[in-house]
Amino acid sequence: MKANSSPHVLGQESIGKLLVEYSIPAIIGMTVTSLYHVIDSIFIGQGTGALGIAGIAVTLPLMNLNIAFCTLVAIGGATISSIYMGQKDIERTTYVLHNVLILLLAIGIVLSSIMYVVLDEILLFFGASHDTLPYAKDFMQIILIGSPVSFIFIGLNNVMRATGYPRKAMYSALLSVGVNLILAPIFIFSLKWGMKGAATATVISQFCGMIWVLAHFCRKESFIRFQRGYYTLQSRIVKSIFAIGLAPFLLNVCACVVVIFINMSLRHHGGDMAIGAYGIINRMLLLVVMIIAGLNQGMQPILGYNYGAREFARVRKTLRYGILSGTVITTIGFVAFIFFPQVIVSIFSNDAELNRIAIPGLQISSLVFPVVGAQIVITNFFQSIGKSKVSIILSLSRQMLFLIPGLIILPNFFGTEGVWMSMPISDMAAFIFSLIAMHMLNKKMKSETKEVEVVSPTY
């Protein structure tokens, strides 16, 4: 059975087998995507030094904001494509493809042009100093020039996965990262291009991925493809794309706000090296979280199908397997970050001052990391069964309700360590909040049906 075969297997095949077949390609794709940032940071740290790492950390809010607008169209378009494909409405799915392409190109050009003009002001507001500004600017100027390319690559890759080609979507991500792995060391070390070399390698690698995806949609053999007569925006489709893409858009905007708070606090209490340390910590934590995101992508169709079919026993089993898998993944990350932080940090930089701040920072930030996997899976569970408002509340609570207050209060008492401490505290609070939400859902389901109960997870 293949991941893109008849949807009826979602209600018949064993849950364990379905999770493996649906999650592995998504996990590989999401992990590979996050490796972009890890690879860039490693090469930049070794090629340009600690200030280069700090410069990259300063760009994180801007990168999150860029991703927010991309996912607004990408996730919305992919979801609408899946719905219309399920309804066997090929014509409307084809319109979605063309509308996604137009929106991505237009937003990518307009957004990058505006950001490019006021780039200095944005980076200074995001925490850049006069020492780190040249590094951050060199990197972001080229990234912004290539934004339309990355928008089209990421957006159409999501549509390709949603229209029945998950493995092809995985291969495009692998191709892009492979090219980046080859070009980045050449541009940074051999050609001595530094930050500009890292950014150029990223844009070229995404350009290769974009060509792969565009070629797929140009092929007559592709089920959904580019055709004449469909290059017009449909107001109903555009509204649907934006409505569904609003949730991931808001999450990325909030992530942007959070990183701004972190950078400002670190700059005040620890300076450029503290910001550079966060750049390393962020990359490593995100790498593990992206693996969980891939797991969630695999769980989503299984949960949605069985919840709609009122097969609550299969929903419960899928949720339990997902929580267990997520907890195992983040526990592995926890062990690596707690017991081998020096090995991990030294991969990025050999600067003694940077490492002195980053090593305890990585340990403190990941103190309750095992529960993070469960919290992310539970949050995605509500999204998968159509309760997107609850999912948004759970996602935003970690950042806006718990993390930002911690970032405002704790550094005043503990300095840089207060920034690191705010992360595990907010993670644990968000985990408890998600358990409460699950308990409330259980009570509601018990009142609606006595056939099957979905039991609140206790992992």
Side-chain angles (χ1 to χ4, degrees):
M1 191 272 295
K2 296 180 180 180
N4 59 346
S5 61
S6 170
H8 298 299
V9 298
L10 295 171
Q12 301 166 358
E13 190 65 79
S14 72
I15 297 299
K17 185 176 181 181
L18 286 172
L19 278 174
V20 169
E21 293 179 345
Y22 274 75
S23 294
I24 294 302
I27 287 174
I28 293 174
M30 296 298 285
T31 304
V32 163
T33 300
S34 68
L35 284 175
Y36 263 125
H37 308 299
V38 174
I39 292 167
D40 280 341
S41 295
I42 291 173
F43 287 139
I44 286 170
Q46 296 296 335
T48 64
L51 286 177
I53 290 283
I56 283 292
V58 167
T59 68
L60 290 178
L62 192 55
M63 298 286 281
N64 283 331
L65 190 59
N66 223 23
I67 292 171
F69 282 94
C70 181
T71 55
L72 175 66
V73 179
I75 302 301
T79 303
I80 294 297
S81 297
S82 296
I83 293 172
Y84 289 152
M85 285 282 287
Q87 296 172 351
K88 296 181 172 54
D89 193 337
I90 304 305
E91 181 178 12
R92 194 169 289 179
T93 309
T94 305
Y95 267 118
V96 172
L97 170 65
H98 292 76
N99 278 220
V100 166
L101 176 62
I102 295 170
L103 290 172
L104 289 170
L105 186 60
I107 294 175
I109 292 174
V110 172
L111 186 66
S112 60
S113 298
I114 295 173
M115 289 180 174
Y116 194 94
V117 172
V118 293
L119 184 58
D120 283 15
E121 292 79 4
I122 293 175
L123 292 174
L124 287 170
F125 177 74
F126 287 170
S129 67
H130 292 293
D131 291 327
T132 58
L133 180 62
Y135 292 91
K137 185 176 179 179
D138 283 349
F139 185 79
M140 280 308 304
Q141 280 182 326
I142 295 176
I143 292 296
L144 289 176
I145 291 173
S147 282
V149 170
S150 61
F151 272 42
I152 293 173
F153 166 51
I154 295 171
L156 293 188
N157 205 46
N158 274 271
V159 175
M160 183 163 67
R161 181 185 297 109
T163 52
Y165 298 90
R167 291 187 180 179
K168 267 196 168 184
M170 178 186 71
Y171 294 151
S172 63
L174 289 172
L175 169 65
S176 184
V177 169
V179 173
N180 198 28
L181 274 171
I182 295 171
L183 295 182
I186 295 175
F187 292 166
I188 295 173
F189 299 111
S190 299
L191 299 180
K192 308 293 184 183
W193 288 358
M195 302 292 285
K196 291 182 178 180
T200 303
T202 297
V203 172
I204 292 176
S205 64
Q206 291 181 337
F207 178 80
C208 293
M210 182 190 73
I211 295 300
W212 168 277
V213 176
L214 289 175
H216 164 79
F217 285 113
C218 288
R219 291 171 58 89
K220 292 183 178 180
E221 295 81 3
S222 298
F223 197 59
I224 303 298
R225 61 185 184 276
F226 295 128
Q227 299 181 55
R228 293 181 180 178
Y230 289 89
Y231 289 96
T232 55
L233 291 175
Q234 304 286 310
S235 60
R236 181 179 175 183
I237 290 176
V238 172
K239 289 178 182 177
S240 298
I241 288 173
F242 286 161
I244 293 176
L246 183 61
F249 172 80
L250 291 175
L251 293 178
N252 280 289
V253 169
C254 287
C256 171
V257 173
V258 167
V259 176
I260 292 173
F261 271 90
I262 291 174
N263 281 350
M264 287 182 171
S265 183
L266 289 174
R267 183 179 178 184
H268 177 72
H269 294 283
D272 291 334
M273 289 300 98
I275 294 178
Y278 174 66
I280 296 173
I281 294 167
N282 175 273
R283 296 304 195 222
M284 295 313 302
L285 297 181
L286 183 63
L287 179 61
V288 179
V289 169
M290 290 292 274
I291 298 174
I292 306 297
L295 172 67
N296 282 338
Q297 284 188 3
M299 290 176 59
Q300 191 166 19
I302 306 170
L303 286 168
Y305 183 96
N306 287 285
Y307 186 83
R310 298 181 67 81
E311 293 287 347
F312 294 139
R314 291 177 63 81
V315 172
R316 178 179 60 191
K317 196 170 186 178
T318 303
L319 180 59
R320 285 180 170 174
Y321 279 7
I323 290 174
L324 179 61
S325 301
T327 302
V328 169
I329 292 168
T330 49
T331 299
I332 292 173
F334 167 80
V335 171
F337 300 153
I338 293 295
F339 295 103
F340 307 103
Q342 188 166 2
V343 175
I344 294 171
V345 171
S346 64
I347 295 174
F348 292 85
S349 173
N350 293 320
D351 186 274
E353 178 65 13
L354 178 64
N355 291 5
R356 182 187 65 81
I357 301 173
I359 289 172
L362 182 59
Q363 291 175 312
I364 296 171
S365 299
S366 57
L367 278 176
V368 299
F369 213 47
V371 307
V372 171
Q375 190 271 332
I376 296 174
V377 169
I378 293 172
T379 300
N380 178 76
F381 168 74
F382 284 96
Q383 179 75 39
S384 299
I385 63 174
K387 299 184 182 296
S388 57
K389 291 182 180 179
V390 179
S391 179
I392 292 173
I393 292 172
L394 291 177
S395 298
L396 297 185
S397 67
R398 190 262 177 187
Q399 301 178 26
M400 307 303 290
L401 188 60
F402 305 127
L403 183 53
I404 288 182
L407 291 171
I408 295 174
I409 297 170
L410 293 178
N412 293 323
F413 297 95
F414 303 102
T416 302
E417 284 73 18
V419 176
W420 312 138
M421 290 166 58
S422 66
M423 297 180 191
I425 291 173
S426 62
D427 287 335
M428 181 57 72
F431 172 66
I432 295 172
F433 197 36
S434 67
L435 291 182
I436 294 172
M438 277 298 304
H439 177 68
M440 294 174 64
L441 176 64
N442 282 341
K443 291 178 64 176
K444 183 178 179 181
M445 293 185 67
K446 288 177 182 178
S447 65
E448 290 178 351
T449 178
K450 295 183 180 180
E451 297 175 6
V452 184
E453 294 180 356
V454 178
V455 181
S456 177
T458 56
Y459 296 97

